[in-house]
């Protein structure tokens, strides 16, 4: 905030009939002082429910009513969550112990936890971390034992392994992305700047203690160590350049249009940096399954399980998803232990994680320790209850899990990294624009187009200004965009992949209740100042000569725009403002 800008003067209150709210400052008329915010939707989180199917007397929520709840005795078991294995610090096994999961459920339902923070209908906090994850921390502490200190341990790993430039969207479970200026600074994302989207705490597993369980509908269940996987006489080494993208990338655009589901972890307010590209080394899961004798006839999917603890609807479990075996047979699922020439960082899933090429990042399980062959997709909540793409008429009032498409492959997408939204850009008839483009499923950006007029006319990014083409990686790009007009303009980018898939123009076309997959053309508004125009160049010179900043543009200009002589001369030459006949 610029401290030299005076605060806005108070708006005069108008006499209206409005209900008072607790702790609300009011004018003498009885009107809440922030009524104007409510009327304009600037404090929508405080708006009462307008139920037009009921009488006016019953309109809105009934104050101080919480319903009848039976008293519940708070439960606690300090020994429930213990480290499962030596050298596996922070890993609690849940899937093998149904009784332990039941006890954890009883603990959670015996306590009250705060609701998620409001960051859609209320302003997003201007802090870093943006959100703390209070509920998630309290859930871990409620289970107690080993989990009680996992939030603090995980944050320490974030501070050690991630760049101080990172934007921390959620402190715990950690969600973070690099700032725009660093997202595409290099075609391959440095490890400390690669985005992170965690669903739980960060286990610390010793590579020498780690092993992978393969069971279920495999013909020969096995347990493999890291040394086994790295034995090239058994498994050929594999190296791939892969872009991993969170399905929440650019979610902030959907939030700014319409509010949707608001869990602070599942629906974190991601910007354009929830994407990164790295070179991974490991082995193909196809070769590992072959080493286990292949799958039984009914084996159609592979459930990948991580060592982090996950919470959903008062249930506790290990993080799990599934991928179809057809994806594995295409050599598009890797088990990796190296990232950009370095051992896989703890925060990225060390010692071994999955990398599922072309799928949403949620399928690339970190801290992988178990793979189970199954006949149907897993019912684990991250697969069956979350990461669902709903029709726009589906929402809190009517949603069912089966109404949503389970998101796997990422569609074509792109984003502008420079300029920034609402930035003032001084140029000489061309604006330099930079960004990234990506398409999932083994498709790649074939053409990137940019528009300076809201999407009416498009300019193709020159091929030489696109980074190298790869099957499972993004392409960064830059171009000088012709722009003669001045004032507010809208710059858009869209991508065409090799299958000629492209992006819808409006965010509305991509909006969905769970706020996933913002696949629309990325749109920013910039204030264009064309220095190639004589009058503009002279005016900018006047600001510079007087030592006055041109920004913010909303600040009034406090020196005369023209002399009275110039003013009089204009009307002498062009006639009066009004005529008599």
């Amino acid at each position: 905030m610029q401290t030299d800008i005076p605060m806005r003067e108070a708006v005069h209150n108008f006499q209206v009939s409005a209900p008072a709210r607790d702790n609300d400052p009011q004018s003498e008329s009885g009107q809440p002082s922030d009524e104007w915010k409510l009327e304009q939707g600037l404090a929508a989180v405080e708006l009462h429910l307008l139920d037009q199917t009921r009488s006016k007397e019953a309109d809105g929520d009934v104050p101080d009513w919480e319903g009848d709840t039976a008293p519940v005795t708070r439960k606690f078991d300090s020994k429930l969550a213990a480290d499962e294995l030596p050298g596996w610090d922070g890993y609690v096994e849940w899937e093998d112990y149904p009784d332990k999961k039941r006890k954890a459920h009883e603990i959670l339902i015996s306590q009250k936890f705060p609701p998620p923070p409001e960051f859609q209908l209320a302003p997003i906090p201007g802090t870093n971390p943006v959100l703390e994850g209070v509920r998630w921390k309290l859930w871990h502490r409620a289970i107690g034992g080993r989990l009680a200190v996992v939030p603090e341990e995980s944050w320490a790993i974030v501070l050690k392994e991630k760049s101080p430039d990172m934007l921390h969207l959620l402190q715990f479970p950690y969600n973070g992305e690099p700032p725009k200026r660093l997202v595409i600074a290099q075609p391959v994302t440095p490890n400390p700047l690669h985005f992170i989207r965690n669903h739980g705490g960060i286990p610390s597993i010793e590579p020498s203690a780690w092993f992978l369980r393969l069971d279920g509908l495999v013909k020969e269940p096995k347990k493999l160590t890291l040394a086994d996987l790295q034995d090239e006489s058994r498994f050929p080494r594999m190296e791939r350049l892969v872009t991993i993208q969170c399905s929440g990338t650019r979610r902030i655009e959907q939030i700014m249009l319409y509010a949707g589901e608001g869990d602070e972890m599942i629906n974190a307010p991601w910007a354009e940096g929830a994407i990164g590209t790295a070179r991974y080394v490991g082995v193909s899961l196809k070769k590992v399954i072959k080493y286990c004798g292949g799958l039984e006839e009914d084996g159609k999917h592979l459930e990948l399980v991580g060592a982090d603890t996950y919470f959903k609807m008062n249930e506790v479990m290990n993080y799990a998803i599934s991928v179809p075996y057809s994806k594995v047979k295409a050599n598009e699922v890797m088990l990796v232990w190296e990232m950009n020439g370095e051992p896989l960082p703890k925060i990225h899933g060390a010692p071994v994680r999955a990398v599922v090429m072309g799928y949403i990042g949620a399928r690339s399980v970190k801290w992988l320790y178990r793979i189970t062959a199954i006949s149907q997709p897993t019912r684990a909540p991250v697969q069956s209850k979350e990461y669902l793409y709903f029709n726009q008429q589906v929402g809190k009032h009517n949603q069912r899990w089966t109404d949503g498409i389970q998101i796997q492959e990422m569609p074509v997408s792109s984003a502008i990294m420079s300029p920034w939204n609402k930035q003032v850009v001084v140029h000489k008839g061309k604006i330099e624009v930079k960004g990234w483009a990506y398409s999932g499923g083994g498709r790649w950006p074939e053409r990137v187009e940019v528009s300076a007029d809201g999407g009416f006319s498009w300019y193709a990014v020159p091929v030489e200004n696109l980074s190298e083409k790869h099957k499972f990686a993004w392409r960064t790009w830059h171009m000088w965009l012709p722009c003669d007009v001045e004032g507010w303009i809208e710059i858009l980018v869209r991508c065409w992949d090799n299958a000629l898939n492209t992006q819808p123009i409006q965010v509305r076309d991509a909006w969905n209740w769970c706020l996933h997959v913002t696949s629309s053309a990325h749109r920013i508004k910039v204030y264009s100042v064309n220095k190639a125009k004589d009058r503009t160049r002279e005016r900018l010179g006047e600001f510079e000569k007087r030592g006055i900043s041109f920004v913010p543009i909303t600040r009034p200009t406090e020196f005369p725009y023209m002399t009275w002589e110039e003013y009089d001369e204009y009307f002498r030459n062009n006639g009066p403002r009004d005529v008599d006949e």
Side-chain angles (χ1 to χ4, degrees):
M1 179 177 178
Q2 291 182 262
T3 55
D4 61 331
I5 301 177
M7 296 294 288
R8 178 180 57 82
E9 293 181 358
V11 177
H12 294 291
N13 287 312
F14 293 92
Q15 181 77 36
V16 295
S17 175
R21 299 191 304 281
D22 292 340
N23 302 319
D24 237 357
Q26 300 209 358
S27 67
E28 293 180 2
S29 68
Q31 179 201 21
S33 61
D34 62 349
E35 185 80 8
W36 67 277
K37 285 188 175 182
L38 295 176
E39 293 173 345
Q40 299 302 322
L42 299 176
V45 67
E46 299 179 29
L47 282 173
H48 69 282
L49 174 68
L50 176 61
D51 188 345
Q52 297 182 338
T53 67
R54 303 163 66 184
S55 67
K56 289 185 178 180
E57 288 73 18
D59 184 28
D61 294 329
V62 180
D64 302 323
W65 182 83
E66 295 183 359
D68 296 327
T69 56
V72 179
T73 302
R74 178 172 173 169
K75 298 185 178 182
F76 183 77
D77 186 345
S78 62
K79 298 181 180 179
L80 186 64
D83 282 331
E84 182 74 13
L85 296 167
W88 293 57
D89 198 17
Y91 156 57
V92 179
E93 174 60 40
W94 298 101
E95 303 312 307
D96 287 345
Y97 307 114
D99 189 56
K100 185 161 75 171
K101 296 179 76 169
R102 178 185 58 78
K103 291 179 180 178
H105 172 70
E106 291 174 354
I107 290 172
L108 293 175
I109 63 174
S110 75
Q111 302 182 34
K112 287 188 176 182
F113 300 95
E118 184 53 65
F119 55 91
Q120 297 191 52
L121 297 177
I124 295 177
T127 53
N128 192 21
V130 178
L131 303 170
E132 183 182 349
V134 172
R135 293 188 310 150
W136 294 80
K137 291 180 179 180
L138 291 177
W139 289 336
H140 280 69
R141 291 167 187 161
I143 300 301
R146 187 64 190 80
L147 293 185
V149 294
V150 162
E152 289 73 24
E153 292 176 340
S154 297
W155 182 241
I157 293 173
V158 171
L159 297 179
K160 180 179 179 181
E161 295 191 347
K162 282 296 158 185
S163 166
D165 289 311
M166 290 290 282
L167 304 176
H168 310 305
L169 294 180
L170 181 63
Q171 187 181 51
F172 184 80
Y174 182 68
N175 284 234
E177 63 181 304
K180 280 188 177 184
R181 59 185 170 83
L182 296 176
V183 172
I184 58 167
Q186 301 178 50
V188 177
T189 313
N191 292 351
L193 287 170
H194 197 292
F195 90 97
I196 284 289
R197 194 271 189 269
N198 286 344
H199 295 78
I202 302 173
S204 295
I205 304 173
E206 293 295 329
S208 59
W210 179 86
F211 59 84
L212 175 66
R213 294 165 54 184
L214 295 112
D215 55 21
L217 298 175
V218 292
K219 292 182 178 179
E220 300 173 21
K222 292 187 184 297
K223 182 185 290 186
L224 299 174
T225 66
L226 181 57
D228 292 333
L229 289 183
Q230 293 177 336
D231 181 356
E232 294 189 66
S233 67
R234 301 190 214 183
F235 307 112
R237 194 68 51 93
M238 186 177 182
E239 181 175 335
R240 291 289 186 277
L241 187 70
V242 179
T243 292
I244 295 180
Q245 182 182 15
C246 179
S247 70
T249 310
R250 296 175 46 205
R251 176 175 285 132
I252 188 66
E253 297 166 53
Q254 293 197 49
I255 289 174
M256 296 300 289
L257 183 66
Y258 306 121
E261 194 168 63
D263 185 297
E264 74 271 35
M265 194 280 291
I266 301 169
N267 308 102
W270 292 102
E272 301 85 7
I275 185 171
T277 300
R279 188 167 295 279
Y280 295 98
V281 172
V283 297
S284 171
L285 179 55
K286 176 183 179 180
K287 302 297 184 182
V288 176
I289 296 300
K290 183 178 179 181
Y291 184 74
C292 295
L295 301 187
E296 301 286 357
E297 184 176 351
D298 292 339
K300 304 296 183 183
H301 299 263
L302 291 167
E303 183 183 58
L304 311 182
V305 187
D308 45 335
T309 293
Y310 191 58
F311 291 77
K312 182 71 175 181
M313 296 182 175
N314 292 319
E315 302 287 348
V316 185
M317 64 214 76
N318 295 106
Y319 183 88
I321 58 85
S322 63
V323 295
Y325 186 42
S326 58
K327 182 74 172 174
V328 174
K329 289 191 291 185
N331 282 312
E332 294 177 359
V333 181
M334 292 177 67
L335 309 182
V336 308
W337 56 80
E338 184 179 300
M339 180 179 182
N340 288 334
E342 300 175 356
L344 194 65
K346 286 183 181 180
I347 198 168
H348 282 279
V352 174
R353 73 172 296 176
V355 170
V356 183
M357 305 178 210
Y359 273 25
I360 63 171
R363 308 304 181 220
S364 291
V365 175
K366 297 186 281 290
W367 312 290
L368 182 69
Y369 76 96
R370 185 174 186 174
I371 298 176
T372 302
I374 52 181
S375 59
Q376 299 291 330
T378 179
R379 291 190 175 184
V382 179
Q383 190 78 33
S384 63
K385 301 177 182 179
E386 300 168 10
Y387 296 96
L388 303 174
Y389 198 91
F390 290 110
N391 173 273
Q392 292 182 348
Q393 294 195 54
V394 174
K396 190 171 184 176
H397 57 288
N398 64 355
Q399 64 178 341
R400 300 175 301 177
W401 299 320
T402 52
D403 293 328
I405 302 170
Q406 293 183 10
I407 306 168
Q408 301 279 56
E409 292 184 356
M410 284 299 295
V412 61
S413 59
S414 58
I416 298 167
M417 296 294 100
S418 177
W420 296 350
N421 192 37
K422 298 186 180 180
Q423 196 163 26
V424 177
V425 181
V426 179
H427 58 93
K428 293 183 177 180
K430 291 184 177 181
I431 297 175
E432 186 178 24
V433 188
K434 302 176 183 179
W436 56 258
Y438 173 69
S439 189
R443 297 171 295 274
W444 55 86
E446 194 64 41
R447 186 169 70 211
V448 177
E449 297 177 333
V450 186
S451 171
D453 57 9
F456 185 79
S457 53
W458 297 88
Y459 295 86
V461 174
V463 175
E464 61 270 22
N465 292 356
L466 289 161
S467 63
E468 190 176 349
K469 190 186 300 184
H470 294 272
K471 188 174 182 180
F472 290 103
W474 69 5
R475 300 183 80 178
T476 59
W477 55 268
H478 69 276
M479 75 170 299
W480 287 94
L481 176 65
C483 180
D484 183 66
V485 300
E486 297 190 282
W488 285 109
I489 63 170
E490 294 193 9
I491 300 178
L492 278 70
V493 63
R494 69 181 178 188
C495 174
W496 297 80
D497 69 15
N498 61 300
L500 298 186
N501 298 306
T502 192
Q503 303 171 251
I505 300 301
Q506 303 294 335
V507 177
R508 168 68 186 177
D509 298 324
W511 188 91
N512 60 98
W513 172 245
C514 289
L515 307 172
H516 290 299
V517 190
T518 310
S519 59
S520 53
H522 188 212
R523 177 188 302 258
I524 64 170
K525 300 174 183 178
V526 302
Y527 193 81
S528 167
V529 181
N530 190 344
K531 206 173 180 179
K533 297 180 182 291
D534 293 340
R535 188 184 301 170
T536 298
R537 185 170 59 254
E538 292 170 4
R539 179 60 53 82
L540 291 174
E542 186 72 17
F543 273 92
E544 185 175 356
K545 183 176 67 176
R546 293 172 179 266
I548 300 174
S549 174
F550 188 72
V551 292
I553 58 169
T554 51
R555 181 177 291 173
T557 303
E558 298 295 348
F559 57 83
Y561 312 146
M562 60 193 308
T563 67
W564 284 116
E565 289 78 8
E566 293 170 331
Y567 183 91
D568 292 338
E569 182 182 358
Y570 173 84
F571 284 108
R572 280 196 303 270
N573 296 334
N574 296 284
R577 162 62 175 83
D578 300 300
V579 296
D580 296 329
E581 58 182 48

